[in-house]
């Protein structure tokens, strides 16, 4: 059974790396690299030298929304986290209690019929829980103004108690973020891509690394009860499916940037491992039993993970490798959460493969 890792409070990254000292950029975080149970320590700026020509990075282009707003239930103050817009126009929302310190704490969900007032004349009526497994998120019927416009005017990025202060939305956008045609996006940043800068992307391209963009709009991740991941909207376009399939056919490595990219691309893969153009909703949970059909490696943040996160890592790297890398991250005092350091999982290499990486043509 997978056991969640407990992270000392002092290892939580409280502010973005670029705010920790003069001259630091987003790529100034540390990078833990694991190949099987072999672990090495690097700077994230070393990434172009750790990858090789022909490697394909699958990146999530979903933009981050200012998805938190203040609201009221009766006379009680609440904070509303807008998670996902449904096909029927309803929104999946989470109500949380202000903690008096600028962040929030968990709140019992529901009941059905609860009215929530938020700025801009928007009213929410809670109708039913998103999942039979937990009642933390509820589908809410919306009346009054349009939610996305309200979020643009009154919203702020979702923030948790381990962070030091509110940050502007730009801090939560990755270099790969693109506006969605319908204005939707992620409730929380696809944070594995945060350390990338335009300069680093240009260096990777100059060294022959390719990029395949996909989209997966993430919902809220404050899974205190460790419930399974909720369905999320995703899209894998034709150009990216072709790039991925060509890389697999040529024996080149496909590395997902973030667990969201894994969920998207694996949701578009058939039982034969071929990736097809797909868009819609995915409820896929990647486990060791299901395995992965497409990705060979993963770049992921260091999070105090719920069970489903660890199961995905085990599906890619194996239990022994995950245990070893997490032990090393704790021992090495790596910083955790969305502003923290990152972990690159690569497949183990045989001596022949390692030799050919630099010598074979």
């Amino acid at each position: 059974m997978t056991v969640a890792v407990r992270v000392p409070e002092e290892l939580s990254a409280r502010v973005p790396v670029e705010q920790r000292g003069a001259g630091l950029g987003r790529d100034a975080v540390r990078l833990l690299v694991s190949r099987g149970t072999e672990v090495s320590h690097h700077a994230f700026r070393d990434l172009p030298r750790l990858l090789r020509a022909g490697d394909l990075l699958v990146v999530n282009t979903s933009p981050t929304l200012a998805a938190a707003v203040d609201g009221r239930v009766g006379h009680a103050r609440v904070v509303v986290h807008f998670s996902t817009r449904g096909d029927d126009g309803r929104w999946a929302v989470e109500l949380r209690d202000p903690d008096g310190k600028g962040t929030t704490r968990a709140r019992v969900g529901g009941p059905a019929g609860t009215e929530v007032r938020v700025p801009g004349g928007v009213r929410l009526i809670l109708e039913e829980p998103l999942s039979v497994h937990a009642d933390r998120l509820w589908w809410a019927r919306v009346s009054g103004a349009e939610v996305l416009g309200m979020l643009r005017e009154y919203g702020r990025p979702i923030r948790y108690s381990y962070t030091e202060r509110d940050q502007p939305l730009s801090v939560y956008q990755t270099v790969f973020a693109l506006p969605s045609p319908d204005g939707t996006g992620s409730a929380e940043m696809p944070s594995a891509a945060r350390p990338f800068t335009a300069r680093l992307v240009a260096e990777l391209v100059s060294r022959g690394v390719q990029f395949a963009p996909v989209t997966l709009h993430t919902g809220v991740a404050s899974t205190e009860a460790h419930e399974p991941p909720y369905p999320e909207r995703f899209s894998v376009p034709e150009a990216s499916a072709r790039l991925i399939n060509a890389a697999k056919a040529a024996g080149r490595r496909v590395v997902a940037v973030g667990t969201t990219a894994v969920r998207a691309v694996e949701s578009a893969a058939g039982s034969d491992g071929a990736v097809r153009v797909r868009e819609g909703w995915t409820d896929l949970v990647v486990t060791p039993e299901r395995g992965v059909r497409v990705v060979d490696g993963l770049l992921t943040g260091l999070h105090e993970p719920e069970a489903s996160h660890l199961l995905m890592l085990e599906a890619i790297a194996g239990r022994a490798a995950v245990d070893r890398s997490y032990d090393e991250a704790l021992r090495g005092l790596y910083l955790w959460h969305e502003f923290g350091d990152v972990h690159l999982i690569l497949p183990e290499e045989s001596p022949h493969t390692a030799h050919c990486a630099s010598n074979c043509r």
Side-chain angles (χ1 to χ4, degrees):
M1 179 178 176
T2 301
V3 179
V5 175
R6 298 192 66 84
V7 180
E9 186 177 345
E10 61 270 20
L11 293 186
S12 293
R14 297 179 60 77
V15 296
V17 63
E18 62 271 22
Q19 297 177 16
R20 295 180 210 149
L24 296 179
R26 289 188 175 204
D27 57 359
V29 296
R30 298 167 68 194
L31 178 64
L32 181 77
V33 179
S34 58
R35 297 177 178 87
T37 55
E38 177 190 337
V39 175
S40 56
H41 304 273
H42 304 268
F44 188 78
R45 290 170 179 158
D46 296 334
L47 184 65
R49 289 172 289 284
L50 295 165
L51 299 176
R52 57 189 186 224
D55 283 345
L56 180 65
L57 297 182
V58 181
V59 298
N60 186 1
T61 64
S62 178
T64 307
L65 300 176
V69 295
D70 295 319
R72 287 192 177 271
V73 175
H75 296 294
R77 293 177 58 235
V78 296
V79 176
V80 184
H81 289 176
F82 284 81
S83 181
T84 306
R85 185 172 69 182
D87 293 335
D88 59 2
R90 296 187 300 173
W91 276 84
V93 299
E94 178 189 21
L95 304 190
R96 294 177 70 88
D97 288 323
D99 64 1
K101 303 174 185 177
T103 57
T104 61
R105 55 178 175 264
R107 173 189 175 98
V108 175
T114 297
E115 181 183 76
V116 187
R117 303 186 308 280
V118 294
V122 175
R123 296 288 187 273
L124 308 173
I125 302 294
L126 304 188
E127 293 193 335
E128 59 184 336
L130 232 67
S131 167
V132 297
H133 303 292
D135 64 353
R136 184 173 60 88
L137 271 76
W138 283 67
W139 284 114
R141 181 165 40 86
V142 180
S143 63
E146 193 264 336
V147 167
L148 290 169
M150 182 272 296
L151 292 178
R152 284 191 294 271
E153 185 169 355
Y154 299 102
R156 61 185 180 273
I158 289 175
R159 175 189 157 211
Y160 294 112
S161 59
Y162 51 78
T163 57
E164 186 173 289
R165 57 181 176 268
D166 284 344
Q167 299 283 349
L169 184 60
S170 59
V171 165
Y172 290 87
Q173 302 294 3
T174 75
V175 72
F176 303 112
L178 296 172
S180 297
D182 61 358
T184 55
S186 288
E188 298 184 17
M189 171 178 57
S191 56
R194 190 182 191 280
F196 285 88
T197 63
R199 179 175 179 174
L200 189 72
V201 170
E203 183 179 353
L204 286 163
V205 171
S206 73
R207 288 172 174 262
V209 175
Q210 297 181 308
F211 291 84
V214 299
T215 303
L216 185 137
H217 296 316
T218 68
V220 298
S222 53
T223 51
E224 282 93 345
H226 302 298
E227 63 261 31
Y230 295 102
E232 294 169 316
R233 192 188 299 275
F234 81 104
S235 172
V236 176
E238 181 179 2
S240 294
R242 288 183 177 181
L243 281 169
I244 295 165
N245 290 333
K248 298 299 289 184
R252 295 185 277 116
R253 300 184 299 187
V254 175
V255 179
V257 177
T259 57
T260 62
V262 176
R263 197 181 200 198
V265 75
E266 292 290 332
S267 297
S271 57
D272 58 355
V275 175
R276 295 168 175 84
V277 177
R278 281 202 57 191
E279 62 178 340
W281 294 86
T282 176
D283 59 2
L284 176 67
V285 179
V286 177
T287 65
E289 291 74 27
R290 188 267 187 190
V292 286
R293 299 168 179 170
V294 180
V295 301
D296 303 299
L298 171 65
L299 181 74
T300 181
L302 293 164
H303 301 279
E304 195 164 30
E306 70 277 8
S308 63
H309 180 101
L310 280 174
L311 289 171
M312 180 183 286
L313 267 59
E314 286 182 31
I316 295 168
R319 176 64 186 269
V322 173
D323 288 346
R324 169 86 169 121
S325 60
Y326 272 56
D327 286 345
E328 279 293 308
L330 291 170
R331 186 178 299 112
L333 304 180
Y334 278 69
L335 295 181
W336 297 60
H337 302 300
E338 66 266 31
F339 297 143
D341 300 316
V342 282
H343 177 202
L344 176 62
I345 299 171
L346 292 174
E348 294 184 81
E349 294 182 338
S350 67
H352 172 75
T353 304
H355 175 77
C356 275
S358 58
N359 296 291
C360 295
R361 293 291 184 268

